[in-house]
């Protein structure tokens, strides 16, 4: 049986959330076929002005269409994002990941890429991208963009050429069969799509045909595209759907060994640039891709984090043990732009503020590179009138205006968050007890106590609803204790230096704790509380 997140994606794609549509139209005459830009791009590394530790900071995932509109057309754009960099810097963000900003066929989620070397016109121009990079770097913020290597848009010139004839020089750039293969079922559907010249492989959507990544010229072309962006100063790439890169038959279409080989080679290319960051989406093998890519999202862990925040003792134990075996390079999250990862955190905890804060503290204080999904820091809910992925990809709640949310001076492209009136930046910025203040404080704590951002993880223990662990970097040690329960509790922490004193680092109010002669400490915990000590 397929993992549930795959079934969800398949259903959403069937409903056109992944750019669904019909089969290719009539084959155009050869004279009218579009030109494929295969011009080579040599490496020209501009270097990096970012702090050496920027990749271990906190990232923000941003859907540009939904972030900030600068020109009143109701669609977020690169200039709007550039205007918001001071806010991100004030929050303490070290890096931003932009969902696809390249020209796309879908003109929404962006994963049906129609031009790998240009900006989606709704978002602006290459000059706007260059200015975003310049302004972000001036603030010590790195910029990571989505790169879709698995598939292109159906309207991409390479696929239009490929579909035009079985003898097209681009035919083998995609996966074709003369007759429809049988026995395939991916994400609940048949991945083989009919066209005038054969059947092409496109498991996500008719409009997103898979590249044939066994072809050396396709791989070389992708690397030229990547260098196009890296040469401009983009600080990293997030790779979509790396579990689907290559297939070995209807029973071996996901997480094939060749995927890891391909991503390791891509990583080697990127490592030839200074201070770049590569992170992969591979939900069914997060640990495996963390090894081959260098970093991968910790799918599965986010569900345990949220359930622990609700007081589930089995989830608390799972959270405690996760980083005992997880490889280095895990990128942590509690939600993102895909419904399979979970609804907006506000909706997952039904608006419970204390549970929300506990979930945030857990993944901001455990190992990994945390990725906040835009609006999470103010508790944005999904849009009440929408479903599927669109519910998660709504305009940012900058202000409480129920019509525009401070996102635009025009008409927003999509419905607003259901709780825009109460959960927005303007309301929370001045409230020391708000979610926004909570996120700021925890991010600042990571910077003040580097062991929390970069340190090793050990001494993890779960006792009912109480979690404790230690982070160590050089001579600096931090002890984190979280009580997810609704009643006060006492945490027994062992393995400490005998007769040491634990100095309170968070929250600021409160006394330190003395360690007894056997290296143990008893720490009194309020209900649903987080404390951090250093020694």
């Amino acid at each position: 049986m397929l993992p549930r997140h795959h079934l969800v994606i398949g259903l959403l794609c069937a409903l056109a959330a992944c750019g669904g549509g019909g089969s290719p139209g009539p084959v155009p005459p050869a004279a009218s076929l579009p030109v494929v830009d295969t011009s080579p791009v040599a490496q020209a590394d501009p270097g990096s002005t970012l702090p050496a530790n920027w990749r271990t900071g906190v990232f923000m995932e941003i859907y540009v269409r939904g972030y900030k509109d600068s020109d009143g057309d109701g669609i977020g754009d690169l200039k709007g994002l550039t205007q918001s960099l001071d806010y991100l810097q004030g929050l303490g963000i070290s890096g931003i990941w932009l969902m696809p900003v390249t020209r796309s066929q879908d003109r929404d989620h962006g994963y049906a890429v129609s031009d790998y070397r240009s900006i989606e016109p709704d978002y602006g121009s290459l000059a706007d991208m260059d200015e975003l990079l310049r302004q972000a770097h001036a603030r010590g913020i790195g910029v990571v963009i989505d790169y879709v290597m698995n598939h292109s848009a159906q309207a991409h010139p390479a696929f239009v050429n490929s579909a035009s004839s079985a003898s097209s020089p681009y035919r083998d750039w995609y996966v074709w069969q003369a007759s429809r293969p049988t026995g395939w079922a991916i994400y609940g559907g048949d991945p083989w799509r009919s066209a005038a010249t054969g059947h092409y492989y496109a498991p996500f959507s008719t409009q997103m045909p898979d590249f044939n990544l066994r072809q050396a010229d396709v791989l070389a072309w992708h690397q030229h595209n990547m260098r196009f962006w890296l040469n401009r100063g983009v600080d990293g790439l997030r790779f979509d759907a790396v579990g689907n890169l290559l297939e070995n038959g209807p029973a071996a279409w996901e997480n094939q060994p060749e995927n890891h080989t391909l991503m390791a080679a891509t990583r080697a290319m990127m490592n030839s640039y200074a201070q770049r960051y590569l992170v992969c989406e591979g939900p069914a093998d997060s640990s495996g891709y963390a090894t081959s890519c260098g970093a991968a999202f910790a799918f599965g862990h986010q569900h345990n984090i949220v359930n622990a925040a609700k007081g589930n003792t089995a989830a608390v134990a799972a959270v405690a043990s996760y980083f005992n075996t997880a490889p280095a390079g895990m990128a942590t999250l509690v939600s993102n732009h895909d419904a399979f990862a979970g609804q907006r955190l506000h909706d997952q905890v039904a608006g419970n503020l204390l549970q929300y804060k506990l979930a945030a503290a857990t993944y901001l204080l455990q190992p990994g590179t945390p990725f906040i999904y835009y609006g999470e820091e103010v508790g944005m809910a999904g849009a009440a009138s929408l479903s599927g992925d669109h519910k998660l990809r709504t305009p940012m709640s900058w202000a409480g205006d129920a019509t525009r949310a401070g996102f635009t001076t025009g008409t927003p492209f999509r419905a607003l968050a259901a709780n825009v009136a109460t959960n927005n930046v303007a309301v929370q910025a001045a409230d020391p007890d708000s979610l926004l203040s909570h996120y700021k404080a925890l991010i600042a704590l990571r910077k003040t106590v580097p062991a929390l951002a970069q340190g090793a993880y050990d001494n993890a223990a779960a006792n009912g609803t109480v979690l404790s662990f230690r982070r160590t970097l050089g001579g600096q040690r931090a002890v984190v204790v979280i009580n997810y329960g609704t009643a006060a509790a006492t945490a027994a922490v062992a393995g400490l230096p005998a007769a040491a004193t634990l100095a309170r680092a968070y929250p600021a109010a409160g006394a330190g704790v003395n360690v007894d002669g056997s290296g143990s400490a008893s720490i009194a915990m309020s209900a649903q509380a987080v404390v951090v000590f250093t020694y």
Side-chain angles (χ1 to χ4, degrees), residues 232-289:
R232 297 189 88 91
V234 165
D235 302 289
L237 302 174
R238 178 265 187 185
F239 284 83
D240 180 64
V242 295
N244 302 78
L245 297 177
L246 291 135
E247 298 77 36
N248 289 307
W253 54 267
E254 187 178 34
N255 299 324
Q256 299 303 292
E258 297 94 329
N259 297 356
H260 295 284
T261 302
L262 174 53
M263 290 315 304
T266 303
R267 178 186 179 190
M269 184 276 288
M270 287 189 60
N271 283 346
S272 66
Y273 285 80
Q275 293 211 85
R276 299 308 202 271
Y277 179 63
L278 186 162
V279 61
C280 287
E281 178 207 41
D285 187 13
S286 296
S287 294
Y289 289 108

Short mmCIF file of all heavy atoms in Angstrom, two decimals, residues 232-289:
data_model
loop_
_atom_site.label_atom_id
_atom_site.label_comp_id
_atom_site.label_asym_id
_atom_site.label_seq_id
_atom_site.Cartn_x
_atom_site.Cartn_y
_atom_site.Cartn_z
N ARG A 232 24.52 33.66 -10.49
CA ARG A 232 23.89 34.94 -10.18
C ARG A 232 23.96 35.26 -8.69
O ARG A 232 23.59 36.36 -8.27
CB ARG A 232 22.42 34.94 -10.62
CG ARG A 232 22.20 34.79 -12.10
CD ARG A 232 20.75 35.04 -12.47
NE ARG A 232 20.50 36.46 -12.72
CZ ARG A 232 20.60 37.03 -13.92
NH1 ARG A 232 20.96 36.31 -14.97
NH2 ARG A 232 20.36 38.32 -14.06
N GLY A 233 24.37 34.27 -7.89
CA GLY A 233 24.47 34.50 -6.45
C GLY A 233 23.42 33.81 -5.62
O GLY A 233 23.37 34.01 -4.39
N VAL A 234 22.56 32.99 -6.25
CA VAL A 234 21.62 32.19 -5.46
C VAL A 234 22.43 31.28 -4.54
O VAL A 234 23.43 30.68 -4.95
CB VAL A 234 20.70 31.37 -6.40
CG1 VAL A 234 19.98 30.28 -5.64
CG2 VAL A 234 19.70 32.29 -7.09
N ASP A 235 21.99 31.17 -3.29
CA ASP A 235 22.79 30.53 -2.25
C ASP A 235 22.52 29.04 -2.08
O ASP A 235 23.20 28.38 -1.29
CB ASP A 235 22.57 31.25 -0.92
CG ASP A 235 22.93 32.71 -1.02
OD1 ASP A 235 24.12 33.02 -1.12
OD2 ASP A 235 22.00 33.55 -1.04
N GLY A 236 21.53 28.53 -2.78
CA GLY A 236 21.25 27.11 -2.64
C GLY A 236 20.05 26.71 -3.45
O GLY A 236 19.33 27.55 -4.00
N LEU A 237 19.84 25.40 -3.52
CA LEU A 237 18.72 24.84 -4.26
C LEU A 237 18.00 23.82 -3.39
O LEU A 237 18.62 23.01 -2.69
CB LEU A 237 19.21 24.16 -5.54
CG LEU A 237 20.00 25.02 -6.53
CD1 LEU A 237 20.54 24.15 -7.67
CD2 LEU A 237 19.14 26.15 -7.09
N ARG A 238 16.68 23.87 -3.47
CA ARG A 238 15.84 22.84 -2.85
C ARG A 238 15.31 21.97 -3.99
O ARG A 238 14.73 22.48 -4.94
CB ARG A 238 14.70 23.49 -2.07
CG ARG A 238 13.72 22.48 -1.41
CD ARG A 238 12.52 22.24 -2.29
NE ARG A 238 11.48 21.43 -1.63
CZ ARG A 238 10.39 21.00 -2.23
NH1 ARG A 238 10.16 21.28 -3.49
NH2 ARG A 238 9.51 20.27 -1.58
N PHE A 239 15.53 20.67 -3.89
CA PHE A 239 15.15 19.76 -4.96
C PHE A 239 13.84 19.05 -4.63
O PHE A 239 13.70 18.45 -3.57
CB PHE A 239 16.26 18.74 -5.22
CG PHE A 239 17.41 19.32 -5.98
CD1 PHE A 239 18.40 20.03 -5.30
CD2 PHE A 239 17.49 19.21 -7.35
CE1 PHE A 239 19.45 20.60 -5.99
CE2 PHE A 239 18.55 19.78 -8.05
CZ PHE A 239 19.52 20.48 -7.38
N ASP A 240 12.93 19.15 -5.57
CA ASP A 240 11.59 18.59 -5.42
C ASP A 240 11.57 17.13 -5.87
O ASP A 240 12.22 16.76 -6.86
CB ASP A 240 10.64 19.42 -6.29
CG ASP A 240 9.21 18.96 -6.23
OD1 ASP A 240 8.62 19.05 -5.14
OD2 ASP A 240 8.67 18.50 -7.25
N ALA A 241 10.84 16.30 -5.13
CA ALA A 241 10.49 14.94 -5.57
C ALA A 241 11.70 14.10 -5.96
O ALA A 241 11.69 13.41 -6.98
CB ALA A 241 9.50 15.01 -6.74
N VAL A 242 12.75 14.11 -5.15
CA VAL A 242 13.94 13.34 -5.52
C VAL A 242 13.72 11.83 -5.43
O VAL A 242 14.48 11.06 -6.01
CB VAL A 242 15.17 13.75 -4.66
CG1 VAL A 242 15.58 15.18 -4.93
CG2 VAL A 242 14.92 13.50 -3.18
N GLY A 243 12.68 11.39 -4.76
CA GLY A 243 12.36 9.97 -4.74
C GLY A 243 11.85 9.46 -6.07
O GLY A 243 11.77 8.24 -6.28
N ASN A 244 11.51 10.36 -6.99
CA ASN A 244 10.89 9.98 -8.26
C ASN A 244 11.80 10.18 -9.47
O ASN A 244 11.33 10.16 -10.60
CB ASN A 244 9.61 10.81 -8.46
CG ASN A 244 8.61 10.63 -7.34
OD1 ASN A 244 8.77 11.19 -6.27
ND2 ASN A 244 7.60 9.84 -7.57
N LEU A 245 13.08 10.39 -9.27
CA LEU A 245 13.94 10.78 -10.37
C LEU A 245 14.10 9.70 -11.43
O LEU A 245 14.09 9.98 -12.63
CB LEU A 245 15.32 11.18 -9.83
CG LEU A 245 15.34 12.40 -8.88
CD1 LEU A 245 16.75 12.64 -8.37
CD2 LEU A 245 14.79 13.65 -9.58
N LEU A 246 14.26 8.45 -11.02
CA LEU A 246 14.48 7.36 -11.97
C LEU A 246 13.64 6.15 -11.57
O LEU A 246 13.36 5.95 -10.38
CB LEU A 246 15.95 6.97 -12.02
CG LEU A 246 16.86 8.02 -12.65
CD1 LEU A 246 18.12 8.21 -11.83
CD2 LEU A 246 17.21 7.65 -14.08
N GLU A 247 13.24 5.37 -12.57
CA GLU A 247 12.39 4.21 -12.34
C GLU A 247 13.03 2.97 -12.95
O GLU A 247 13.72 3.04 -13.96
CB GLU A 247 11.01 4.41 -12.97
CG GLU A 247 10.22 5.59 -12.42
CD GLU A 247 10.70 6.93 -12.95
OE1 GLU A 247 11.09 7.00 -14.13
OE2 GLU A 247 10.69 7.90 -12.17
N ASN A 248 12.74 1.83 -12.31
CA ASN A 248 13.22 0.53 -12.82
C ASN A 248 12.07 -0.46 -12.98
O ASN A 248 12.24 -1.66 -12.79
CB ASN A 248 14.28 -0.04 -11.88
CG ASN A 248 15.58 0.74 -11.95
OD1 ASN A 248 16.14 0.94 -13.02
ND2 ASN A 248 16.06 1.22 -10.80
N GLY A 249 10.91 0.06 -13.32
CA GLY A 249 9.76 -0.82 -13.54
C GLY A 249 8.60 -0.50 -12.63
O GLY A 249 8.72 0.31 -11.70
N PRO A 250 7.44 -1.11 -12.88
CA PRO A 250 6.22 -0.77 -12.14
C PRO A 250 6.27 -1.09 -10.65
O PRO A 250 5.46 -0.55 -9.88
CB PRO A 250 5.13 -1.59 -12.85
CG PRO A 250 5.87 -2.68 -13.55
CD PRO A 250 7.19 -2.11 -13.92
N ALA A 251 7.18 -1.93 -10.24
CA ALA A 251 7.31 -2.24 -8.81
C ALA A 251 8.55 -1.59 -8.20
O ALA A 251 8.86 -1.82 -7.04
CB ALA A 251 7.36 -3.75 -8.59
N ALA A 252 9.24 -0.77 -8.99
CA ALA A 252 10.49 -0.14 -8.52
C ALA A 252 10.60 1.25 -9.12
O ALA A 252 11.51 1.55 -9.89
CB ALA A 252 11.69 -0.99 -8.91
N TRP A 253 9.65 2.09 -8.74
CA TRP A 253 9.59 3.44 -9.32
C TRP A 253 9.95 4.54 -8.33
O TRP A 253 9.97 5.71 -8.69
CB TRP A 253 8.19 3.71 -9.88
CG TRP A 253 7.08 3.49 -8.89
CD1 TRP A 253 6.36 2.34 -8.70
CD2 TRP A 253 6.58 4.43 -7.93
NE1 TRP A 253 5.44 2.51 -7.69
CE2 TRP A 253 5.57 3.79 -7.20
CE3 TRP A 253 6.90 5.75 -7.62
CZ2 TRP A 253 4.85 4.43 -6.17
CZ3 TRP A 253 6.20 6.38 -6.60
CH2 TRP A 253 5.19 5.72 -5.89
N GLU A 254 10.23 4.17 -7.10
CA GLU A 254 10.52 5.19 -6.08
C GLU A 254 11.78 4.82 -5.32
O GLU A 254 12.06 3.65 -5.05
CB GLU A 254 9.34 5.33 -5.11
CG GLU A 254 9.49 6.50 -4.13
CD GLU A 254 8.28 6.64 -3.22
OE1 GLU A 254 7.68 5.61 -2.86
OE2 GLU A 254 7.96 7.78 -2.85
N ASN A 255 12.58 5.87 -5.00
CA ASN A 255 13.77 5.72 -4.15
C ASN A 255 14.73 4.65 -4.68
O ASN A 255 15.25 3.82 -3.94
CB ASN A 255 13.36 5.39 -2.71
CG ASN A 255 12.53 6.50 -2.10
OD1 ASN A 255 12.76 7.67 -2.37
ND2 ASN A 255 11.56 6.14 -1.28
N GLN A 256 14.97 4.72 -5.97
CA GLN A 256 15.92 3.79 -6.58
C GLN A 256 17.36 4.22 -6.28
O GLN A 256 17.63 5.40 -6.06
CB GLN A 256 15.68 3.74 -8.09
CG GLN A 256 14.30 3.24 -8.47
CD GLN A 256 14.01 1.87 -7.88
OE1 GLN A 256 14.62 0.87 -8.27
NE2 GLN A 256 13.10 1.81 -6.92
N PRO A 257 18.29 3.27 -6.25
CA PRO A 257 19.69 3.62 -5.93
C PRO A 257 20.25 4.72 -6.83
O PRO A 257 21.06 5.54 -6.38
CB PRO A 257 20.43 2.30 -6.14
CG PRO A 257 19.40 1.24 -5.93
CD PRO A 257 18.12 1.82 -6.45
N GLU A 258 19.82 4.74 -8.10
CA GLU A 258 20.32 5.76 -9.03
C GLU A 258 19.96 7.17 -8.58
O GLU A 258 20.67 8.13 -8.91
CB GLU A 258 19.76 5.51 -10.43
CG GLU A 258 20.19 4.20 -11.06
CD GLU A 258 19.21 3.07 -10.84
OE1 GLU A 258 18.52 3.07 -9.79
OE2 GLU A 258 19.12 2.20 -11.72
N ASN A 259 18.85 7.31 -7.85
CA ASN A 259 18.47 8.64 -7.36
C ASN A 259 19.55 9.21 -6.45
O ASN A 259 19.90 10.40 -6.54
CB ASN A 259 17.15 8.58 -6.58
CG ASN A 259 15.97 8.13 -7.42
OD1 ASN A 259 16.11 7.94 -8.63
ND2 ASN A 259 14.82 7.99 -6.80
N HIS A 260 20.05 8.36 -5.58
CA HIS A 260 21.08 8.81 -4.63
C HIS A 260 22.38 9.12 -5.36
O HIS A 260 23.08 10.09 -5.02
CB HIS A 260 21.29 7.75 -3.55
CG HIS A 260 20.09 7.54 -2.68
ND1 HIS A 260 19.73 8.42 -1.70
CD2 HIS A 260 19.16 6.56 -2.67
CE1 HIS A 260 18.63 7.99 -1.09
NE2 HIS A 260 18.26 6.86 -1.66
N THR A 261 22.71 8.33 -6.36
CA THR A 261 23.92 8.60 -7.14
C THR A 261 23.80 9.94 -7.84
O THR A 261 24.76 10.74 -7.86
CB THR A 261 24.14 7.47 -8.17
OG1 THR A 261 24.24 6.22 -7.48
CG2 THR A 261 25.40 7.72 -8.97
N LEU A 262 22.65 10.20 -8.43
CA LEU A 262 22.43 11.44 -9.15
C LEU A 262 22.51 12.64 -8.21
O LEU A 262 23.15 13.66 -8.53
CB LEU A 262 21.07 11.41 -9.85
CG LEU A 262 20.60 12.68 -10.54
CD1 LEU A 262 21.64 13.21 -11.52
CD2 LEU A 262 19.27 12.42 -11.25
N MET A 263 21.89 12.52 -7.04
CA MET A 263 21.90 13.66 -6.11
C MET A 263 23.29 13.87 -5.49
O MET A 263 23.69 15.00 -5.22
CB MET A 263 20.85 13.48 -5.02
CG MET A 263 19.42 13.60 -5.52
SD MET A 263 19.13 15.01 -6.65
CE MET A 263 19.70 16.40 -5.67
N ALA A 264 24.03 12.80 -5.31
CA ALA A 264 25.40 12.95 -4.80
C ALA A 264 26.26 13.69 -5.82
O ALA A 264 27.10 14.53 -5.46
CB ALA A 264 26.00 11.59 -4.49
N ALA A 265 26.05 13.40 -7.12
CA ALA A 265 26.79 14.12 -8.16
C ALA A 265 26.39 15.58 -8.22
O ALA A 265 27.23 16.47 -8.42
CB ALA A 265 26.55 13.44 -9.51
N THR A 266 25.10 15.85 -8.04
CA THR A 266 24.62 17.24 -8.01
C THR A 266 25.21 17.99 -6.83
O THR A 266 25.63 19.14 -6.93
CB THR A 266 23.08 17.25 -7.94
OG1 THR A 266 22.54 16.53 -9.05
CG2 THR A 266 22.55 18.67 -7.94
N ARG A 267 25.26 17.29 -5.71
CA ARG A 267 25.85 17.89 -4.51
C ARG A 267 27.33 18.22 -4.73
O ARG A 267 27.80 19.29 -4.32
CB ARG A 267 25.69 16.92 -3.34
CG ARG A 267 26.30 17.37 -2.03
CD ARG A 267 26.18 16.26 -1.01
NE ARG A 267 26.77 16.60 0.27
CZ ARG A 267 26.96 15.71 1.25
NH1 ARG A 267 26.59 14.46 1.09
NH2 ARG A 267 27.51 16.09 2.39
N ALA A 268 28.04 17.34 -5.41
CA ALA A 268 29.46 17.58 -5.68
C ALA A 268 29.63 18.83 -6.54
O ALA A 268 30.55 19.63 -6.31
CB ALA A 268 30.08 16.37 -6.36
N MET A 269 28.76 18.99 -7.53
CA MET A 269 28.83 20.20 -8.36
C MET A 269 28.58 21.44 -7.53
O MET A 269 29.31 22.43 -7.61
CB MET A 269 27.81 20.11 -9.50
CG MET A 269 27.86 21.28 -10.49
SD MET A 269 26.92 22.75 -9.98
CE MET A 269 25.24 22.16 -10.20
N MET A 270 27.55 21.40 -6.67
CA MET A 270 27.22 22.56 -5.86
C MET A 270 28.30 22.86 -4.83
O MET A 270 28.52 24.02 -4.46
CB MET A 270 25.85 22.38 -5.20
CG MET A 270 24.70 22.51 -6.18
SD MET A 270 23.09 22.54 -5.36
CE MET A 270 23.25 23.99 -4.31
N ASN A 271 28.97 21.83 -4.37
CA ASN A 271 30.04 22.04 -3.38
C ASN A 271 31.25 22.76 -3.97
O ASN A 271 32.13 23.21 -3.23
CB ASN A 271 30.48 20.71 -2.78
CG ASN A 271 29.50 20.19 -1.74
OD1 ASN A 271 28.63 20.92 -1.28
ND2 ASN A 271 29.63 18.92 -1.39
N SER A 272 31.30 22.86 -5.29
CA SER A 272 32.38 23.62 -5.92
C SER A 272 32.14 25.12 -5.83
O SER A 272 33.01 25.91 -6.18
CB SER A 272 32.56 23.19 -7.37
OG SER A 272 31.43 23.54 -8.15
N TYR A 273 30.95 25.50 -5.37
CA TYR A 273 30.63 26.90 -5.10
C TYR A 273 30.78 27.16 -3.59
O TYR A 273 30.62 26.27 -2.78
CB TYR A 273 29.19 27.22 -5.52
CG TYR A 273 28.97 27.34 -7.01
CD1 TYR A 273 28.83 26.21 -7.80
CD2 TYR A 273 28.86 28.59 -7.62
CE1 TYR A 273 28.61 26.31 -9.16
CE2 TYR A 273 28.63 28.70 -8.99
CZ TYR A 273 28.51 27.56 -9.75
OH TYR A 273 28.28 27.67 -11.09
N ALA A 274 31.06 28.40 -3.25
CA ALA A 274 31.29 28.75 -1.84
C ALA A 274 29.98 28.83 -1.07
O ALA A 274 29.03 29.49 -1.49
CB ALA A 274 32.00 30.10 -1.76
N GLN A 275 29.92 28.12 0.05
CA GLN A 275 28.86 28.26 1.05
C GLN A 275 27.45 28.05 0.50
O GLN A 275 26.51 28.70 0.93
CB GLN A 275 28.93 29.63 1.72
CG GLN A 275 30.14 29.85 2.59
CD GLN A 275 29.84 30.77 3.74
OE1 GLN A 275 29.36 30.35 4.78
NE2 GLN A 275 30.12 32.06 3.56
N ARG A 276 27.29 27.13 -0.45
CA ARG A 276 25.95 26.86 -0.97
C ARG A 276 25.27 25.76 -0.15
O ARG A 276 25.92 24.97 0.53
CB ARG A 276 26.00 26.47 -2.45
CG ARG A 276 26.57 27.54 -3.36
CD ARG A 276 25.89 28.89 -3.17
NE ARG A 276 26.03 29.77 -4.32
CZ ARG A 276 27.03 30.62 -4.52
NH1 ARG A 276 28.00 30.70 -3.63
NH2 ARG A 276 27.06 31.39 -5.59
N TYR A 277 23.95 25.71 -0.26
CA TYR A 277 23.15 24.77 0.53
C TYR A 277 22.22 24.00 -0.41
O TYR A 277 21.54 24.59 -1.25
CB TYR A 277 22.32 25.55 1.56
CG TYR A 277 21.41 24.72 2.45
CD1 TYR A 277 21.93 23.77 3.32
CD2 TYR A 277 20.03 24.91 2.43
CE1 TYR A 277 21.10 23.03 4.15
CE2 TYR A 277 19.19 24.17 3.26
CZ TYR A 277 19.72 23.23 4.11
OH TYR A 277 18.90 22.49 4.93
N LEU A 278 22.21 22.69 -0.28
CA LEU A 278 21.35 21.81 -1.06
C LEU A 278 20.47 21.04 -0.09
O LEU A 278 20.98 20.42 0.85
CB LEU A 278 22.20 20.87 -1.91
CG LEU A 278 21.52 19.94 -2.92
CD1 LEU A 278 22.56 19.43 -3.94
CD2 LEU A 278 20.86 18.73 -2.27
N VAL A 279 19.15 21.04 -0.31
CA VAL A 279 18.23 20.30 0.55
C VAL A 279 17.20 19.61 -0.33
O VAL A 279 16.75 20.16 -1.33
CB VAL A 279 17.57 21.22 1.60
CG1 VAL A 279 16.74 22.33 0.94
CG2 VAL A 279 16.73 20.41 2.58
N CYS A 280 16.87 18.38 0.03
CA CYS A 280 16.01 17.55 -0.82
C CYS A 280 14.69 17.20 -0.14
O CYS A 280 14.61 17.05 1.08
CB CYS A 280 16.73 16.24 -1.16
SG CYS A 280 18.06 16.44 -2.36
N GLU A 281 13.66 17.03 -0.99
CA GLU A 281 12.37 16.50 -0.57
C GLU A 281 12.28 15.06 -1.01
O GLU A 281 12.17 14.76 -2.19
CB GLU A 281 11.23 17.30 -1.20
CG GLU A 281 9.85 16.75 -0.82
CD GLU A 281 8.77 17.03 -1.86
OE1 GLU A 281 9.06 16.91 -3.08
OE2 GLU A 281 7.66 17.36 -1.45
N GLY A 282 12.34 14.15 -0.03
CA GLY A 282 12.20 12.72 -0.32
C GLY A 282 11.45 12.07 0.82
O GLY A 282 12.05 11.38 1.64
N PRO A 283 10.14 12.27 0.90
CA PRO A 283 9.37 11.89 2.10
C PRO A 283 9.48 10.42 2.50
O PRO A 283 9.42 10.11 3.68
CB PRO A 283 7.93 12.25 1.72
CG PRO A 283 8.05 13.29 0.67
CD PRO A 283 9.29 12.94 -0.09
N ALA A 284 9.64 9.53 1.52
CA ALA A 284 9.66 8.10 1.84
C ALA A 284 11.04 7.60 2.27
O ALA A 284 11.17 6.44 2.67
CB ALA A 284 9.15 7.29 0.65
N ASP A 285 12.06 8.44 2.18
CA ASP A 285 13.41 8.05 2.60
C ASP A 285 14.20 9.29 3.01
O ASP A 285 15.24 9.60 2.45
CB ASP A 285 14.13 7.32 1.46
CG ASP A 285 15.49 6.73 1.89
OD1 ASP A 285 15.75 6.67 3.11
OD2 ASP A 285 16.27 6.35 1.00
N SER A 286 13.69 9.98 4.01
CA SER A 286 14.31 11.23 4.42
C SER A 286 15.76 11.03 4.86
O SER A 286 16.65 11.81 4.48
CB SER A 286 13.51 11.86 5.57
OG SER A 286 12.22 12.22 5.14
N SER A 287 16.02 10.00 5.64
CA SER A 287 17.38 9.78 6.12
C SER A 287 18.32 9.44 4.97
O SER A 287 19.47 9.90 4.94
CB SER A 287 17.40 8.66 7.16
OG SER A 287 16.70 9.04 8.33
N GLY A 288 17.86 8.64 4.02
CA GLY A 288 18.70 8.29 2.89
C GLY A 288 19.09 9.50 2.07
O GLY A 288 20.26 9.64 1.66
N TYR A 289 18.14 10.40 1.83
CA TYR A 289 18.45 11.58 1.04
C TYR A 289 19.24 12.61 1.84
O TYR A 289 19.98 13.41 1.25
CB TYR A 289 17.17 12.17 0.44
CG TYR A 289 16.62 11.29 -0.65
CD1 TYR A 289 15.46 10.55 -0.45
CD2 TYR A 289 17.31 11.14 -1.85
CE1 TYR A 289 14.99 9.68 -1.43
CE2 TYR A 289 16.84 10.29 -2.84
CZ TYR A 289 15.69 9.56 -2.62
OH TYR A 289 15.23 8.71 -3.60
#
